[in-house]
Amino acid sequence: MPPVFPMLTALSMFYYMCLRRRARTASRGEMNSRRAIESSTRALPLNVEMVQYAKEVLDFSSHYGSENSMSYTMWNLAGIPNVYPSSGDFTQTAVFRTYGTWWDRCPSARLPFQRTPPSFCSQDYVELAFEEPVYPTAVHVLETYHPGAIVRILACSANPYSQNPPAEVRWEILWSEAPTKVSSPQARQFTPCIRQISFPTNLIRLEVNSSLLDYYTELDAVILHGVKERPVLSLKASMIDMNDIDEEEDEEKYGCDVDTLSKQFSFVTLREWPTNGYFDKLPYELIQLILSHLTVPDLCRLAQTCKLLYQHCCDPLQYIHLSLQPYWARINDTSLEYLQSRCTLLQWLNLSWTGNRGAISVSGFSRFMKVCGSELVRLELSCGHFLNETCLEVITEMCPNLQELNLSSCDKIPPQAFGHIAKVGSLRRLVLYRTKVEQTALLSILNFCSELQHLSLGSCVMIEDYDLVASMMGAKCKKLRSLDLWRCKNITESGIAELASGCQLLEELDLGWCPTLQSSTGCFTNLARKLPNLQKLFLTANRSVCDTDIEELAASCTHLRQLDILGTRMVSPASLRKLLESCKDLSLLDVSFCSQIDNRVVLELNANFPNVFIKKSFTQ
């Protein structure tokens, strides 16, 4: 006789399976504990703990420093400490590109992807290689300024120094936690309690979230402790407390990753129930709305419950916006293949951080784009090191409606390949931060993509003449609202003048660390007069910024919200007061290392203008 309440029966079976799994796990733990106790009387082989500093920095998503320097770059994480235990702002440390929520409050800010699991909050990462593979027993991170950004530490099964690539690359989480607000900016040694893993590793990944920080976090070194032989679990570690069970760890242990779930999604055999409970009485649209709150793995699980929900979970309307970045460690060609039939209406796609170390092939990516690219409007591919010229060619051919393309830190794409982007005349946003785009390709893009509103060229070292590039922007990109020229080495007052004259809708401009700009030429005052809509202006590390520039900003750019004049010696407290009185919307003012602005002045300004975050960095 069929059950009267099939959905309730299915739920009961699910809980029964969970409890049985826990029971099996507990049994194994108790057995291991007994074996450990019984063997404690016997002499165990000596397993000496190794202590290693990072040998090499393999990969990272961003850094504050230049591509041609060591100051504030991720490469400072290799080797022994340079600064620790000192605290403060030091050039010998590793610093990521952003901090706080300021980047989410400016005109170039991007809308977040929905369905991002709450457990994934990483914004940046760095991968470190060590000399010897070990079973980790501890990881120490030496943080020298504004600690607290690290949210995940992972270990990889692949040996970066092995001559034979592994058949399978596994990543395991050693430690994870939500971002925390640390009360003191002082240096500390961060030593989280890590999990034991089943393989030796010499590849460690740190992921960070700096949204709660008042300034850039600075890291000095990473120390890996470990043993060559797999350690025996202690009695305490073997006993299971139901309150300590981590759902994310359990999912990984039992194979509930995206790839496995995708297979189940495609080939699941559903048990025949006479009805679908009360779900079949709900309107189709209401069920779709309910399911829209589920993550991708949850959709895969739910598809196994009944035919009705399977149909809903396969509906392409559930995949109009799809972010696979939270599952970067498990996304491969097979995952993309299983998702193809569901992504025919795809409009937003986030593949950032995915596909590295051979997980996604050029052919696999191309097949996916040919099936799912026709409706694509937004494509995020940050740190996609599998990308090459063929991939860019496929994107430009298969995505005729593309408006946003993010290639940030895709540093493996050859310079000539960027010319294909010029075929996408509908582009509104283009992020080329830390890429090898060269001047000819960029000029072609600017010439044909006249609808551009947001353009990031930060740390693009292959461009020889930024004045020519700025002139082309002024002539062709009249709708430009935000422009990132961070660390461009050769733009002059001539290029700035052409840019300001032609792109008068600019609301955001980053000219940080542009050493060839001099206030004495009048470039900054001219900029302020021509761009009255400016909300964010970064003139970081330009020593020549003076009172005249600040006073012109106060008079002309009254909508200013963020201003960075770090490092200038020629700005007085009086001009800052004028700026703060005139720009009522100002929320961020960075005066770090401004010699005329001491801590007493900062305290006074903070007291008089409490709504403005005034940052004064220091070095001890």
Side-chain angles (χ1 to χ4, degrees), residues 125-139:
Y125 73 86
V126 59
E127 293 181 0
L128 305 166
F130 295 80
E131 183 71 38
E132 294 291 336
V134 293
Y135 291 93
T137 55
V139 176

Side-chain angles (χ1 to χ4, degrees), residues 166-184:
E168 179 188 17
V169 177
R170 292 173 54 200
W171 285 92
E172 294 289 344
I173 298 175
L174 297 176
W175 172 88
S176 67
E177 193 172 285
T180 55
K181 178 77 171 180
V182 178
S183 58
S184 171

Side-chain angles (χ1 to χ4, degrees), residues 49-50 130 134-141 150-156 172-177 190-201 203-206 222-227 231 233-234 236-237 246 249:
E49 186 176 63
M50 298 181 64
F130 295 80
V134 293
Y135 291 93
T137 55
V139 176
H140 305 303
V141 184
I150 299 172
V151 293
R152 287 213 300 184
I153 303 176
L154 301 97
C156 184
E172 294 289 344
I173 298 175
L174 297 176
W175 172 88
S176 67
E177 193 172 285
F190 178 55
T191 308
C193 182
I194 65 172
R195 302 169 182 164
Q196 291 189 0
I197 57 176
S198 59
F199 55 81
T201 183
L203 175 52
I204 297 294
R205 175 179 171 121
L206 308 181
V222 177
I223 310 166
L224 174 63
H225 290 240
V227 292
L233 288 175
S234 66
K236 182 178 179 180
D246 189 330
E249 179 184 16

Side-chain angles (χ1 to χ4, degrees), residues 411-535:
D411 53 1
K412 301 295 191 293
I413 301 176
Q416 72 278 2
F418 292 91
H420 292 288
I421 299 174
K423 303 172 188 175
V424 189
S426 57
L427 274 183
R428 304 287 193 277
R429 182 190 303 272
L430 180 59
V431 182
L432 298 177
Y433 167 73
R434 287 192 66 237
T435 63
K436 295 176 181 175
V437 59
E438 48 87 29
Q439 187 166 302
T440 303
L442 181 57
L443 291 174
S444 179
I445 292 170
L446 297 175
N447 186 44
F448 291 102
C449 300
S450 58
E451 297 296 313
L452 275 174
Q453 297 179 18
H454 305 283
L455 179 61
S456 174
L457 299 174
S459 293
C460 291
V461 297
M462 302 285 287
I463 299 172
E464 301 168 352
D465 188 351
Y466 269 99
D467 280 347
L468 181 58
V469 170
S471 176
M472 180 67 81
M473 290 180 199
K476 296 290 185 178
C477 302
K478 303 292 186 179
K479 299 180 182 180
L480 209 57
R481 292 180 53 215
S482 73
L483 176 62
D484 181 4
L485 295 177
W486 174 263
R487 291 190 180 274
C488 90
K489 294 298 184 183
N490 52 38
I491 193 168
T492 68
E493 66 277 4
S494 174
I496 292 296
E498 301 243 21
L499 179 68
S501 297
C503 302
Q504 296 190 6
L505 298 180
L506 271 173
E507 300 172 352
E508 176 181 342
L509 182 58
D510 193 333
L511 296 172
W513 295 89
C514 296
T516 49
L517 292 175
Q518 294 297 315
S519 174
S520 58
T521 64
C523 61
F524 299 134
T525 54
N526 180 55
L527 196 69
R529 294 190 196 103
K530 293 288 182 65
L531 303 177
N533 297 316
L534 271 181
Q535 296 180 29

Side-chain angles (χ1 to χ4, degrees), residues 55 131 528 567 603:
K55 178 181 179 180
E131 183 71 38
L603 290 174

Side-chain angles (χ1 to χ4, degrees), residues 6-137:
M7 294 304 294
L8 184 60
T9 305
L11 188 62
S12 301
M13 291 178 62
F14 172 76
Y15 280 112
Y16 167 72
M17 293 172 65
C18 289
L19 291 172
R20 190 174 62 176
R21 175 180 295 167
R22 298 299 186 197
R24 287 202 306 266
T25 307
S27 299
R28 286 195 295 269
E30 292 166 359
M31 186 178 298
N32 288 337
S33 299
R34 288 196 297 270
R35 288 174 180 170
I37 293 171
E38 292 169 358
S39 62
S40 61
T41 57
R42 298 192 296 268
L44 296 176
L46 183 62
N47 204 355
V48 179
E49 186 176 63
M50 298 181 64
V51 179
Q52 304 178 77
Y53 290 97
K55 178 181 179 180
E56 184 180 358
V57 177
L58 297 180
D59 188 22
F60 54 90
S61 55
S62 76
H63 59 184
Y64 186 90
S66 165
E67 300 303 294
N68 300 320
S69 170
M70 288 295 290
S71 297
Y72 296 122
T73 63
M74 286 299 118
W75 300 306
N76 285 318
L77 277 176
I80 62 174
N82 299 307
V83 172
Y84 187 84
S86 298
S87 298
D89 191 337
F90 291 92
T91 62
Q92 301 97 322
T93 57
V95 184
F96 291 98
R97 179 71 177 84
T98 64
Y99 74 94
T101 58
W102 309 109
W103 276 257
D104 297 325
R105 302 188 206 170
C106 55
S108 64
R110 284 164 282 182
L111 293 173
F113 277 77
Q114 301 302 317
R115 282 184 159 159
T116 300
S119 60
F120 181 80
C121 57
S122 304
Q123 297 174 333
D124 275 297
Y125 73 86
V126 59
E127 293 181 0
L128 305 166
F130 295 80
E131 183 71 38
E132 294 291 336
V134 293
Y135 291 93
T137 55

